[in-house]
mmCIF file of all heavy atoms in Angstrom:
data_model
loop_
_atom_site.group_PDB
_atom_site.id
_atom_site.type_symbol
_atom_site.label_atom_id
_atom_site.label_comp_id
_atom_site.label_asym_id
_atom_site.label_seq_id
_atom_site.Cartn_x
_atom_site.Cartn_y
_atom_site.Cartn_z
ATOM 1 N N GLY A 76 -6.460 -35.737 11.564
ATOM 2 C CA GLY A 76 -7.864 -35.690 11.633
ATOM 3 C C GLY A 76 -8.459 -35.362 10.246
ATOM 4 O O GLY A 76 -7.717 -35.308 9.243
ATOM 5 N N GLU A 77 -9.774 -35.210 10.193
ATOM 6 C CA GLU A 77 -10.394 -34.898 8.933
ATOM 7 C C GLU A 77 -11.609 -33.843 9.143
ATOM 8 O O GLU A 77 -12.193 -33.831 10.228
ATOM 9 C CB GLU A 77 -10.906 -36.047 8.211
ATOM 10 C CG GLU A 77 -12.062 -36.845 8.885
ATOM 11 C CD GLU A 77 -12.619 -37.931 7.997
ATOM 12 O OE1 GLU A 77 -12.610 -37.730 6.754
ATOM 13 O OE2 GLU A 77 -12.985 -39.018 8.505
ATOM 14 N N ILE A 78 -11.775 -33.043 8.182
ATOM 15 C CA ILE A 78 -12.835 -32.132 8.116
ATOM 16 C C ILE A 78 -13.706 -32.298 6.788
ATOM 17 O O ILE A 78 -13.085 -32.462 5.741
ATOM 18 C CB ILE A 78 -12.320 -30.642 8.118
ATOM 19 C CG1 ILE A 78 -11.408 -30.328 9.388
ATOM 20 C CG2 ILE A 78 -13.427 -29.639 8.034
ATOM 21 C CD1 ILE A 78 -10.927 -29.041 9.449
ATOM 22 N N ARG A 79 -15.063 -32.440 7.004
ATOM 23 C CA ARG A 79 -15.849 -32.429 5.821
ATOM 24 C C ARG A 79 -16.764 -31.183 5.901
ATOM 25 O O ARG A 79 -17.390 -30.946 6.913
ATOM 26 C CB ARG A 79 -16.686 -33.680 5.830
ATOM 27 C CG ARG A 79 -15.977 -34.819 5.340
ATOM 28 C CD ARG A 79 -16.804 -36.159 5.490
ATOM 29 N NE ARG A 79 -15.960 -37.289 5.108
ATOM 30 C CZ ARG A 79 -15.760 -37.697 3.919
ATOM 31 N NH1 ARG A 79 -16.390 -37.020 2.869
ATOM 32 N NH2 ARG A 79 -15.033 -38.679 3.500
ATOM 33 N N VAL A 80 -16.912 -30.483 4.869
ATOM 34 C CA VAL A 80 -17.849 -29.345 4.677
ATOM 35 C C VAL A 80 -18.769 -29.649 3.652
ATOM 36 O O VAL A 80 -18.341 -29.816 2.462
ATOM 37 C CB VAL A 80 -17.089 -28.084 4.429
ATOM 38 C CG1 VAL A 80 -18.026 -26.924 4.322
ATOM 39 C CG2 VAL A 80 -15.964 -27.785 5.527
ATOM 40 N N ASP A 81 -20.130 -29.696 3.854
ATOM 41 C CA ASP A 81 -21.093 -30.151 2.976
ATOM 42 C C ASP A 81 -20.727 -31.494 2.315
ATOM 43 O O ASP A 81 -20.929 -31.591 1.191
ATOM 44 C CB ASP A 81 -21.261 -29.093 1.882
ATOM 45 C CG ASP A 81 -22.241 -27.936 2.398
ATOM 46 O OD1 ASP A 81 -22.769 -28.103 3.440
ATOM 47 O OD2 ASP A 81 -22.221 -26.922 1.648
ATOM 48 N N GLY A 82 -20.073 -32.367 3.044
ATOM 49 C CA GLY A 82 -19.680 -33.615 2.588
ATOM 50 C C GLY A 82 -18.360 -33.653 1.763
ATOM 51 O O GLY A 82 -17.898 -34.709 1.420
ATOM 52 N N ILE A 83 -17.760 -32.449 1.565
ATOM 53 C CA ILE A 83 -16.469 -32.406 0.901
ATOM 54 C C ILE A 83 -15.323 -32.556 1.892
ATOM 55 O O ILE A 83 -15.294 -31.775 2.751
ATOM 56 C CB ILE A 83 -16.353 -31.045 0.161
ATOM 57 C CG1 ILE A 83 -17.421 -30.840 -0.865
ATOM 58 C CG2 ILE A 83 -15.004 -30.940 -0.609
ATOM 59 C CD1 ILE A 83 -17.613 -29.313 -1.250
ATOM 60 N N ALA A 84 -14.545 -33.537 1.654
ATOM 61 C CA ALA A 84 -13.427 -33.783 2.543
ATOM 62 C C ALA A 84 -12.365 -32.665 2.219
ATOM 63 O O ALA A 84 -11.849 -32.556 1.107
ATOM 64 C CB ALA A 84 -12.799 -35.149 2.296
ATOM 65 N N LEU A 85 -11.950 -31.901 3.256
ATOM 66 C CA LEU A 85 -11.020 -30.785 3.029
ATOM 67 C C LEU A 85 -9.575 -31.311 3.002
ATOM 68 O O LEU A 85 -9.130 -31.938 4.008
ATOM 69 C CB LEU A 85 -11.151 -29.765 4.136
ATOM 70 C CG LEU A 85 -10.412 -28.477 4.078
ATOM 71 C CD1 LEU A 85 -10.853 -27.727 2.837
ATOM 72 C CD2 LEU A 85 -10.806 -27.568 5.295
ATOM 73 N N THR A 86 -8.931 -31.198 1.834
ATOM 74 C CA THR A 86 -7.502 -31.551 1.762
ATOM 75 C C THR A 86 -6.785 -30.262 1.436
ATOM 76 O O THR A 86 -7.311 -29.173 1.403
ATOM 77 C CB THR A 86 -7.219 -32.579 0.632
ATOM 78 O OG1 THR A 86 -7.559 -31.912 -0.594
ATOM 79 C CG2 THR A 86 -8.105 -33.788 0.828
ATOM 80 N N ARG A 87 -5.458 -30.403 1.115
ATOM 81 C CA ARG A 87 -4.691 -29.145 0.717
ATOM 82 C C ARG A 87 -4.823 -28.942 -0.801
ATOM 83 O O ARG A 87 -4.166 -27.980 -1.286
ATOM 84 C CB ARG A 87 -3.265 -29.305 1.173
ATOM 85 C CG ARG A 87 -3.149 -29.303 2.724
ATOM 86 C CD ARG A 87 -1.685 -29.440 3.130
ATOM 87 N NE ARG A 87 -0.897 -28.228 2.708
ATOM 88 C CZ ARG A 87 -0.601 -27.310 3.610
ATOM 89 N NH1 ARG A 87 -0.948 -27.415 4.871
ATOM 90 N NH2 ARG A 87 0.104 -26.247 3.265
ATOM 91 N N GLU A 88 -5.561 -29.695 -1.479
ATOM 92 C CA GLU A 88 -5.638 -29.507 -2.885
ATOM 93 C C GLU A 88 -6.455 -28.261 -3.295
ATOM 94 O O GLU A 88 -7.537 -27.985 -2.653
ATOM 95 C CB GLU A 88 -6.279 -30.798 -3.629
ATOM 96 C CG GLU A 88 -5.336 -31.893 -3.825
ATOM 97 C CD GLU A 88 -5.935 -33.242 -3.854
ATOM 98 O OE1 GLU A 88 -7.142 -33.305 -4.232
ATOM 99 O OE2 GLU A 88 -5.271 -34.176 -3.355
ATOM 100 N N PRO A 89 -6.039 -27.566 -4.300
ATOM 101 C CA PRO A 89 -6.753 -26.273 -4.633
ATOM 102 C C PRO A 89 -8.205 -26.563 -4.853
ATOM 103 O O PRO A 89 -9.044 -25.718 -4.463
ATOM 104 C CB PRO A 89 -5.987 -25.845 -5.934
ATOM 105 C CG PRO A 89 -4.752 -26.458 -5.843
ATOM 106 C CD PRO A 89 -4.888 -27.758 -5.095
ATOM 107 N N GLY A 90 -8.566 -27.659 -5.574
ATOM 108 C CA GLY A 90 -9.865 -27.957 -5.942
ATOM 109 C C GLY A 90 -10.798 -27.924 -4.764
ATOM 110 O O GLY A 90 -11.865 -27.339 -4.668
ATOM 111 N N THR A 91 -10.378 -28.753 -3.833
ATOM 112 C CA THR A 91 -11.281 -28.886 -2.604
ATOM 113 C C THR A 91 -11.341 -27.654 -1.743
ATOM 114 O O THR A 91 -12.362 -27.272 -1.234
ATOM 115 C CB THR A 91 -10.822 -30.088 -1.682
ATOM 116 O OG1 THR A 91 -9.539 -29.839 -1.213
ATOM 117 C CG2 THR A 91 -10.895 -31.401 -2.431
ATOM 118 N N VAL A 92 -10.229 -27.001 -1.522
ATOM 119 C CA VAL A 92 -10.196 -25.742 -0.815
ATOM 120 C C VAL A 92 -11.145 -24.732 -1.410
ATOM 121 O O VAL A 92 -11.956 -24.041 -0.798
ATOM 122 C CB VAL A 92 -8.767 -25.188 -0.621
ATOM 123 C CG1 VAL A 92 -8.746 -23.835 -0.016
ATOM 124 C CG2 VAL A 92 -7.942 -26.162 0.177
ATOM 125 N N GLU A 93 -10.997 -24.560 -2.752
ATOM 126 C CA GLU A 93 -11.772 -23.579 -3.438
ATOM 127 C C GLU A 93 -13.363 -23.993 -3.316
ATOM 128 O O GLU A 93 -14.206 -23.092 -3.079
ATOM 129 C CB GLU A 93 -11.459 -23.555 -4.954
ATOM 130 C CG GLU A 93 -10.269 -22.682 -5.186
ATOM 131 C CD GLU A 93 -9.702 -22.810 -6.541
ATOM 132 O OE1 GLU A 93 -10.235 -23.372 -7.360
ATOM 133 O OE2 GLU A 93 -8.472 -22.455 -6.743
ATOM 134 N N ALA A 94 -13.633 -25.299 -3.518
ATOM 135 C CA ALA A 94 -14.961 -25.741 -3.333
ATOM 136 C C ALA A 94 -15.572 -25.411 -1.934
ATOM 137 O O ALA A 94 -16.687 -24.873 -1.859
ATOM 138 C CB ALA A 94 -15.107 -27.213 -3.654
ATOM 139 N N VAL A 95 -14.734 -25.655 -0.982
ATOM 140 C CA VAL A 95 -15.150 -25.321 0.411
ATOM 141 C C VAL A 95 -15.325 -23.776 0.657
ATOM 142 O O VAL A 95 -16.418 -23.437 1.199
ATOM 143 C CB VAL A 95 -14.158 -25.906 1.409
ATOM 144 C CG1 VAL A 95 -14.422 -25.376 2.805
ATOM 145 C CG2 VAL A 95 -14.338 -27.485 1.466
ATOM 146 N N ARG A 96 -14.363 -23.060 0.170
ATOM 147 C CA ARG A 96 -14.426 -21.591 0.416
ATOM 148 C C ARG A 96 -15.604 -20.940 -0.276
ATOM 149 O O ARG A 96 -16.028 -19.926 0.137
ATOM 150 C CB ARG A 96 -13.109 -20.953 0.001
ATOM 151 C CG ARG A 96 -12.008 -21.187 0.984
ATOM 152 C CD ARG A 96 -10.715 -20.515 0.500
ATOM 153 N NE ARG A 96 -9.589 -20.841 1.560
ATOM 154 C CZ ARG A 96 -8.361 -20.624 1.301
ATOM 155 N NH1 ARG A 96 -7.958 -20.148 0.193
ATOM 156 N NH2 ARG A 96 -7.525 -20.872 2.321
ATOM 157 N N GLN A 97 -16.087 -21.569 -1.437
ATOM 158 C CA GLN A 97 -17.199 -21.007 -2.006
ATOM 159 C C GLN A 97 -18.495 -21.337 -1.345
ATOM 160 O O GLN A 97 -19.583 -20.682 -1.551
ATOM 161 C CB GLN A 97 -17.292 -21.579 -3.475
ATOM 162 C CG GLN A 97 -16.129 -21.236 -4.378
ATOM 163 C CD GLN A 97 -16.498 -21.092 -5.860
ATOM 164 O OE1 GLN A 97 -17.677 -21.266 -6.248
ATOM 165 N NE2 GLN A 97 -15.497 -20.912 -6.673
#
Side-chain angles (χ1 to χ4, degrees):
Chain A
E77 66 171 325
I78 300 179
R79 283 173 183 279
V80 179
D81 280 350
I83 303 164
L85 189 57
T86 65
R87 294 180 68 102
E88 277 152 35
T91 60
V92 173
E93 278 162 21
V95 165
R96 285 179 180 167
Q97 294 209 10

